[in-house]
Amino acid sequence: MKSDRLLSILLLLQTRGRVRAHELAERLEVSVRTIYRDVEALSASGVPVYAERGRRGGIELLAGFRTDVTGLTADESRALFILAAQGAHAALGLDAALGSALRKVMAALPAPHRPAAELTSRRILVDASRWMRDPDPAVDLAVLQDAAFADRRLRLTYRHGGAARPVTYTVDPYGLVSKAGVWYLVADRQGAPRLFRADRVSGAVLTDAAVRRRPGVELADVWAVLKRQVEERPGGVDVTARVRRSRLDQFLRLNGSSVTRTPVDDGTGEWVTVRLGYRAAGEAKMLLPFGDHVEVLGPPEVRAVLAGTAAEVAELYGAAESAAADGPAGGPAGGAAGGPADTGPDVTPPARGSGNGPARP
C-alpha cells in the first residue's frame, strides 16, 4: 500500500539521514521514479523533505524534524514478540536490553494489540539448537563486535578445521552472522571475502588501523557470496544411493543439506533412490553409520572409499577381539597347564544394528 510505503520512507529518512533514491527503491522494491513521486506526496502533506541530485545527492528531511509514529498494526505487534534467534541476544550480551526493550514496546502498543502480542510470546518458541547435542561452549564475541562497530582492523589467531596449529591474520571485518546456532565473522583478508568460525578464534586484538572494506559493499552482500560458495560446491562429486524406506525420514534429517534431488521410489516399496552432492569422495563416509540401510550405487570411486573404510574398521575391531581372546602375553587364553584359566577382559561385539546408527532426536 502507498501509505505504508510513505511511512517506511519517512522512518528510513528519520533514522538514516540522507539516503540515495536508488537505495530507497531497492529497500522498498519499487522504481526510482516511484520514490520521487512518493517524496513529492510527503512534501505536499507537510513533511519537510527535499531531494538533491548529483554525485553526493540524495533524499533528506529538514534538519531537526522528528515525528513520533506509534500506529503499529496487529501483525507488526505480534512479529516483534517472535524472537527468531533468542540465543543470539545472549551471545551478544543483549539479553537484558532485549527484555527491557520489549517491555517498553508493550507499553507503547495500541491497547487492542497488547493481548495478541503478549499471547504470541507465550505460544511461539524458537529453539535454534540441534537435537542430541551438548551445548556449544560459550564464544567471546566482544572483540569481534568492537571491531565491526568501531570500523577497525582486527588481528586474529585462528585455527582452521583439521589444522594442528593456529595461524595469524589481519582482517577487515564487515560484521557477525549467526547461522544455525554457529557464529561467524565475515571479513576481507587481503581484499578477498573470508568466513571465520568464532569458536575457532583463539585470540583477537583490535588494531589502531581503520578498516579497509571494499567501497559500497555491505555485510549482506559479502555473506551472500560466501554462502553461495559453500552451497554450490564447485568441482564436487555426485553420488547415487538407495535408502531403505523405513530409514528415509531419519536419513533426510541428517543428510538433507547434501540431497540434490527429490528422492524417487525404486518400485519395490522397500528402497528409495537418492542423489547427493559432496565436495570430495571422502565426505560420503558420513553414510557409513546407516550400515546396510544405505547402499551407494555410484560412482565407483565413492564405493571404493566406503569399502576401504569399512574394511579398516573391521580390521581394527577384529584385532581387538584377537588380542582379548589370546589373553596376557606368555600363554593362550586358558593359561598355563594346570593353572587357573585367565580369560582376560570380557569383550563382547555389539549386536548387529544396535548402537551403530545415527542418533535419533
Side-chain angles (χ1 to χ4, degrees), residues 10 13 39-50 61-62 65 67:
L10 180 58
L13 296 178
V39 169
E40 291 178 2
L42 284 172
S43 180
S45 66
V47 176
V49 59
Y50 63 95
L61 292 171
L62 189 67
F65 176 80
T67 182

Side-chain angles (χ1 to χ4, degrees), residues 108-148:
L109 287 178
H113 301 334
R114 291 176 192 170
E118 194 273 336
L119 184 62
T120 298
S121 66
R122 292 166 47 202
R123 293 291 183 264
I124 304 295
L125 175 65
V126 178
D127 186 347
S129 61
R130 298 181 181 179
W131 291 104
M132 306 294 288
R133 286 185 59 181
D134 293 332
D136 293 326
V139 177
D140 186 2
L141 300 176
V143 178
L144 307 185
Q145 277 191 87
D146 290 345

Side-chain angles (χ1 to χ4, degrees), residues 164-185:
R165 296 180 180 178
V167 292
T168 301
Y169 298 127
T170 297
V171 301
D172 299 293
Y174 286 90
L176 296 168
V177 173
S178 178
K179 172 72 170 174
V182 178
W183 282 98
Y184 295 91
L185 172 70

Side-chain angles (χ1 to χ4, degrees), residues 247 287-291 317 349-359:
R247 291 296 185 94
L287 302 178
L288 287 173
F290 284 91
Y317 285 101
R352 181 181 177 86
S354 67
N356 292 326

Side-chain angles (χ1 to χ4, degrees), residues 306-358:
L306 298 182
T309 303
E312 292 172 358
V313 173
E315 182 180 356
L316 174 66
Y317 285 101
E321 288 191 21
S322 297
D326 289 341
D342 184 357
T343 60
D346 182 14
V347 178
T348 304
R352 181 181 177 86
S354 67
N356 292 326

Side-chain angles (χ1 to χ4, degrees), residues 265-331:
D265 197 313
D266 71 347
T268 66
E270 181 182 2
W271 295 92
V272 175
T273 302
V274 178
R275 297 291 297 274
L276 305 110
Y278 296 112
R279 285 170 293 185
E283 289 187 3
K285 292 180 181 180
M286 64 180 64
L287 302 178
L288 287 173
F290 284 91
D292 61 357
H293 296 290
V294 173
E295 179 188 3
V296 170
L297 304 177
E301 60 267 26
V302 174
R303 287 179 61 92
V305 167
L306 298 182
T309 303
E312 292 172 358
V313 173
E315 182 180 356
L316 174 66
Y317 285 101
E321 288 191 21
S322 297
D326 289 341

